[in-house]
Amino acid sequence: MPTFVWDYLPEYEAERADILDAVSTVFESGQLVLGPSVRGFEEEFAAYHGLPHCVGVDNGTNAIKLALQALGVGPGDEVITVSNTAAPTVVAIDSVGAVPVFVDVRREDFLMDTGQVAAAITPRTRALLPVHLYGQCVDMDPLTELAGRHGLKILEDCAQAHGARHRGRLAGTMGDAAAFSFYPTKVLGAYGDGGAVVTADEETERDLRRLRYYGMEERYYVTRTPGHNSRLDEVQAEILRRKLRRLEAYLEGRRAVARRYAEGLAGTGLTLPALAQGNDHVYYVYVVRHPRRDEVIEALKAHDISLNISYPWPVHTMSGFSGLGYAKGSLPVTEELAGEIFSLPMYPSLAPELQDTVIEALRKVLDRFN
């Protein structure tokens, strides 16, 4: 039987009764759009982060897009971020008419090199968009200092970092707003698309609610454009409410899988994930490095193991963003990592015996290259 990077079925079997009860609860409520389940999830997700406001939206991309708009980012503004992220981060910046400006990342942990941000700031810079990548946080203190000095907004991309902490602070609580995705593979995943924005600012929250609902503050009356139809689905919200109660168990499950990899793959020649100082990692994906990555992945297919690369193409190298003018070699560490990284199976319900199969196959394959 093939082994994949992610599989939701074991978790579904364990939680089936609760998931189906969540669906039934919504269908029997008489309210299918922006009803009690969305309101309940918003309150509970905000409370988890110790923040007053959460606005549920339809996906993580629109969480970033609407948050940028609510923070006043628009056409011609520059937003500083990284290129070694999922394309939706940059698609969202582009969709509000802003210009993404990339800085390189740190070789050891793949996170934004905050030491490069100051040099990237121009009079057009409006916001900083750190990506808490793979399950751990960017060092936010330098960004907070820069934002305060230059009058910039900070939007955290937390799509891969539910429950991660930096010096005791939860991802999503260190900027002006934070965008989350609940795509099924995420640490806190729905059974379809979903997203949310959390913030401590009341005006930002009010703008987000208007923006996700066509620009309306009351039914049928658009007060200000632009607006969107970007509402979190009631069924997904109720499922997320149930799963939020199990989030800490999911985190411990992921950390247990990571510990097993660290023990089983020590001394193999793989570069294993590095924990940045002050971070609590949640291991959304378990990303390793090898200089002969493509050969390793190909050899593992003979063992019926299919792995993923997150991400093989830095955004600045994609033809769809060629207009930004980044030449090959402009982000050397990002480009180097893209040729070496790959992800091992990672989800909290990954059976130890299945993980041992992956570890054993990897050790056999890597012996050939060492």
Side-chain angles (χ1 to χ4, degrees):
M1 182 176 180
T3 301
F4 298 105
V5 170
W6 178 76
D7 184 0
Y8 76 93
L9 290 174
E11 181 179 283
Y12 175 65
E13 286 303 314
E15 301 178 359
R16 179 187 177 100
D18 196 35
I19 298 302
L20 294 181
D21 182 68
V23 175
S24 180
T25 295
V26 172
F27 288 172
E28 293 173 4
S29 72
Q31 297 184 65
L32 299 178
V33 178
L34 293 183
S37 292
V38 168
R39 290 194 297 272
F41 175 72
E42 289 175 337
E43 292 170 2
E44 291 155 16
F45 198 63
Y48 175 82
H49 290 90
L51 293 172
H53 307 299
C54 170
V55 179
V57 297
D58 53 344
N59 56 65
T61 309
N62 281 337
I64 297 173
K65 177 182 180 179
L66 271 61
L68 288 170
Q69 289 181 295
L71 293 173
V73 177
D77 292 333
E78 293 179 349
V79 178
I80 299 175
T81 190
V82 292
S83 181
N84 70 328
T85 181
T89 303
V90 184
V91 169
I93 296 171
D94 180 75
S95 70
V96 302
V99 179
V101 174
F102 299 118
V103 295
D104 216 339
V105 297
R106 305 192 301 195
R107 184 175 281 102
E108 63 272 19
D109 55 25
F110 320 132
L111 297 171
M112 174 185 273
D113 185 346
T114 57
Q116 297 188 22
V117 173
I121 294 173
T122 76
R124 295 172 59 192
T125 306
R126 179 75 174 181
L128 310 178
L129 206 170
V131 179
H132 299 319
L133 194 71
Y134 301 152
Q136 65 174 331
C137 297
V138 172
D139 183 3
M140 294 297 293
D141 292 338
L143 299 184
T144 301
E145 190 276 330
L146 284 171
R149 193 193 326 160
H150 294 276
L152 307 176
K153 298 294 186 179
I154 296 178
L155 172 61
E156 298 173 68
D157 182 344
C158 299
Q160 303 185 12
H162 311 73
R165 292 179 183 269
H166 177 63
R167 298 192 174 101
R169 298 173 293 174
L170 273 170
T173 66
M174 297 175 279
D176 295 283
F180 289 84
S181 167
F182 304 120
Y183 186 74
T185 62
K186 302 302 184 186
V187 176
L188 179 63
Y191 277 65
D193 274 316
V197 182
V198 297
T199 182
D201 184 72
E202 186 174 347
E203 183 177 354
T204 301
E205 182 240 5
R206 186 166 57 249
D207 280 344
L208 285 164
R209 294 196 182 281
R210 176 184 60 79
L211 286 164
R212 77 165 179 191
Y213 193 57
Y214 310 109
M216 297 178 183
E217 290 185 3
E218 57 183 292
R219 197 174 184 187
Y220 300 133
Y221 190 89
V222 175
T223 57
R224 186 155 50 99
T225 56
H228 312 273
N229 178 6
S230 299
R231 301 169 295 208
L232 178 61
D233 179 75
E234 191 77 356
V235 171
Q236 301 302 340
E238 185 60 35
I239 291 172
L240 287 166
R241 292 183 75 183
R242 312 297 181 94
K243 295 189 74 175
L244 180 58
R245 299 163 195 163
R246 296 187 282 272
L247 178 55
E248 294 305 314
Y250 297 153
L251 299 184
E252 183 47 45
R254 288 176 177 274
R255 288 172 178 141
V257 172
R259 288 193 295 269
R260 196 177 189 92
Y261 277 135
E263 293 167 3
L265 295 172
T268 60
L270 276 184
T271 301
L272 303 180
L275 181 65
Q277 186 176 10
N279 275 352
D280 293 329
H281 208 312
V282 298
Y283 297 100
Y284 164 59
V285 283
Y286 193 86
V287 177
V288 298
R289 291 175 56 197
H290 195 279
R292 299 172 67 179
R293 185 264 315 277
D294 294 343
E295 295 172 76
V296 172
I297 290 178
E298 186 62 31
L300 284 169
K301 291 179 181 177
H303 297 267
D304 226 5
I305 296 172
S306 178
L307 301 183
N308 191 38
I309 302 171
S310 302
Y311 301 93
W313 302 287
V315 176
H316 74 282
T317 68
M318 297 179 183
S319 60
F321 293 101
S322 60
L324 295 175
Y326 285 84
K328 185 176 181 180
S330 57
L331 300 171
V333 178
T334 295
E335 294 170 31
E336 174 192 334
L337 293 174
E340 297 185 355
I341 57 174
F342 61 105
S343 306
L344 305 186
M346 170 56 76
Y347 46 97
S349 55
L350 178 63
E353 57 272 21
L354 188 58
Q355 188 178 7
D356 286 343
T357 299
V358 174
I359 292 171
E360 182 180 352
L362 258 174
R363 292 189 72 93
K364 288 179 179 177
V365 167
L366 291 167
D367 277 345
R368 306 177 200 170
F369 302 125
N370 293 334

